[in-house]
Every structure is written in structure tokens, then in C-alpha cells.
Amino acid sequence: MAFFNLASQRMNWLSARQKVIAENVANANTPGYKAQDISDFSDMLGSNVQASGVKITQARHISSAEVQAPGIRVEADETAWATSMDGNNVTIEQQTIKAGEVSESYRLAANLYRKGYELLTLSVTGNR
Amino acid sequence: MDPLKSIAQIAASGMHAQSTRLQIVAENVANADSTGNTPGADPYRRKTITFEEVLDEEAGVTMVKVGEIGKDDKPFTLRHDPSHPAADENGFVKVSNVSPILEMANMREASRSYEANMNLYEAGRKMRSEMIDLLK
């Protein structure tokens, strides 16, 4: 079942990335805003962190507002192409290709997941 | 890096460069009639733009970026208009060295190049998408 776990982790990572890209696009005209990206997928796989933010040890503790999926960090995008005069470094073209890349990768992961599921169904029932 | 993925990045860098070029053209056209406002003052000087290649080491691809936004040192022309605030003692006003024909050609070229990059991106995206569809 490790395969399904991997595929869903991948999809988690991709949706977190898409969220950050959406934030970047939304702030494309905000003066001083710096483009962001999330840590690599391999970092997410390598980390054994179960949840980010402050650990909750009691039911009455307030959870930190923005809990990302485990092992995902939002960081400044170092690869931004250009900074405009108002200090904003979001490039619409760059964000657009990233969004396209993410949605294609998501489709790939979802297709693979489905394929795995079909394989499993086939072995259990003998028909698709 | 997956070549089909890098095509998107390269094409987008091209689109970004071309849109900056179009921005410069727009600035030139808008300021074609900007003159000084003191006697003998210099008018707007036409801006120029150069592109250069840039190697993205992480992706291993060569992209394009805006090199330098410079000034056109073509001499200004003189126009006889003694009532103008920028007129010198002989009644001549220096007018900007922007040539509308040149700017129009530049605009066309920028928009066609943008389109070419967009088509490349589309082609790459389609190929990738078809490959993923093979899984079905």
C-alpha cells in the first residue's frame, strides 16, 4: 500500500504548491510582495515530521491557524525572474507555467493512483 | 529536467522578455511628443532594449532575459516654434528622437514573438498531456 501513500502524498504536496501559486498570482500587484514557493517534494518524503506548528498536547490548546501538510514549508522563491520598481517580484508568466506544471503533475499522480486501484480491483475480483 | 517541462519555462521567459519589450515600445510612443520645458532643454530620449541568454543551472536550460534598457543616442531634430517654452534663442525646439514607424515595427515584432513563444508552450503542453493520457 506504500504506492497509494506515495501518490496521495504527492497530491498533497501539489495542492499545497498550487495554493502558494494562487497566493502569488493574487498578490501580483501588491507592492513589496515577494513570490513564494514550497519546499521540495523530496524534503517532504525525507522528513518524519508529523505536523508543523506548535504541538498540541491538550485538547484546550489553540491550534496554529495555518497548519500545512506535514513536512511542507513555505519559503521565498529564489528563482523569481524580475523585481519591478515597487519591490514585487511576482512574474505572471512564471507563475502561469508553474500552475500548468502542477496541474499536469497532479493529473499524472491521480492517473497513477487510479491505475493502481484498478490493478488491485483486478487481482481481487478478476474483472475491471 | 524533463524537456517538455523545460519548454514551458523557456517559452515563458521569452514571453516575459517580449512583454518588457512591448512596455518599452509603449513608453517610447507615449513620450514621442515630450519636450523639455526650459529654453534649450533636452526632450525625451528614445529607450532601447537588449535581450541576452541566461543559463538556468538547476533546470539545465538556456532562457532569455532582458539585458539592458539603454538610451538611443540618435541626435534630436529641431523644430521651429518660437512660442514654445523649450525654444532656444533662435526659436528652435528640440524634439524627441522617437520614430513612430520604427516603434510600430517593433511592436509588431514583439507581439509576433510573444505569439511564437505561446505556440511553443502550447505544443509542449499538448505533448505532455497526451503522454499522461496514455495511462488511461
Side-chain angles (χ1 to χ4, degrees):
Chain A
M1 293 300 113
F3 167 73
F4 291 109
N5 196 19
L6 183 64
S8 48
Q9 263 185 311
R10 174 80 179 161
M11 285 192 272
N12 254 336
W13 182 81
L14 287 167
S15 48
R17 189 161 192 225
Q18 195 73 300
K19 177 173 165 266
V20 170
I21 294 168
E23 282 169 6
N24 287 342
V25 174
N27 282 297
N29 292 317
T30 309
Y33 181 84
K34 298 285 177 239
Q36 293 179 320
D37 206 340
I38 62 172
S39 49
D40 287 349
F41 182 53
S42 51
D43 286 1
M44 183 189 179
L45 288 184
S47 74
N48 291 317
V49 190
Q50 284 309 303
S52 61
V54 181
K55 195 166 183 176
I56 299 166
T57 50
Q58 264 194 16
R60 281 174 294 169
H61 283 171
I62 301 166
S63 68
S64 49
E66 284 238 26
V67 180
Q68 291 284 353
I72 296 178
R73 286 186 319 279
V74 177
E75 41 199 43
D77 185 3
E78 304 295 340
T79 61
W81 288 342
T83 308
S84 61
M85 270 186 217
D86 62 4
N88 187 307
N89 69 356
V90 178
T91 312
I92 288 290
E93 283 93 350
Q94 194 179 16
Q95 300 302 324
T96 315
I97 51 149
K98 265 191 197 169
E101 199 182 299
V102 167
S103 74
E104 284 291 278
S105 306
Y106 196 94
R107 211 151 67 86
L108 179 62
N111 272 345
L112 283 170
Y113 192 102
R114 197 169 43 82
K115 212 69 196 169
Y117 182 75
E118 276 172 18
L119 221 60
L120 211 63
T121 317
L122 182 67
S123 61
V124 173
T125 65
N127 52 40
R128 294 181 80 180
Chain B
M1 195 187 191
D2 173 12
L4 290 179
K5 221 177 196 174
S6 58
I7 287 174
Q9 207 170 342
I10 300 162
S13 77
M15 285 192 264
H16 183 61
Q18 295 298 341
S19 53
T20 315
R21 178 186 185 182
L22 199 59
Q23 183 198 325
I24 298 299
V25 172
E27 285 175 7
N28 286 340
V29 170
N31 279 297
D33 292 327
S34 300
T35 53
N37 49 17
T38 50
D42 277 355
Y44 176 78
R45 200 175 266 285
R46 176 175 176 262
K47 282 185 186 166
T48 58
I49 183 169
T50 57
F51 294 156
E52 59 187 42
E53 63 174 358
V54 52
L55 178 71
D56 184 329
E57 284 173 2
E58 197 183 335
V61 295
T62 311
M63 306 198 300
V64 61
K65 71 165 188 173
V66 172
E68 196 186 301
I69 294 173
K71 301 267 178 165
D72 187 346
D73 52 9
K74 196 176 138 208
F76 300 122
T77 47
L78 293 173
R79 194 180 65 206
H80 189 67
D81 186 359
S83 63
H84 197 279
D88 59 12
E89 59 271 26
N90 300 318
F92 284 103
V93 181
K94 284 185 193 165
V95 280
S96 136
N97 56 356
V98 175
S99 146
I101 303 284
L102 194 64
E103 296 308 325
M104 199 190 72
N106 234 331
M107 179 197 84
R108 286 275 162 110
E109 213 179 295
S111 104
R112 290 285 171 261
S113 307
Y114 194 95
E115 228 173 275
N117 278 302
M118 182 68 94
N119 285 337
L120 259 171
Y121 172 51
E122 193 59 38
R125 198 181 66 105
K126 209 169 144 239
M127 281 161 78
R128 215 177 131 72
S129 167
E130 276 164 7
M131 187 195 66
I132 293 172
D133 281 344
L134 285 180
L135 273 175
K136 278 187 178 160

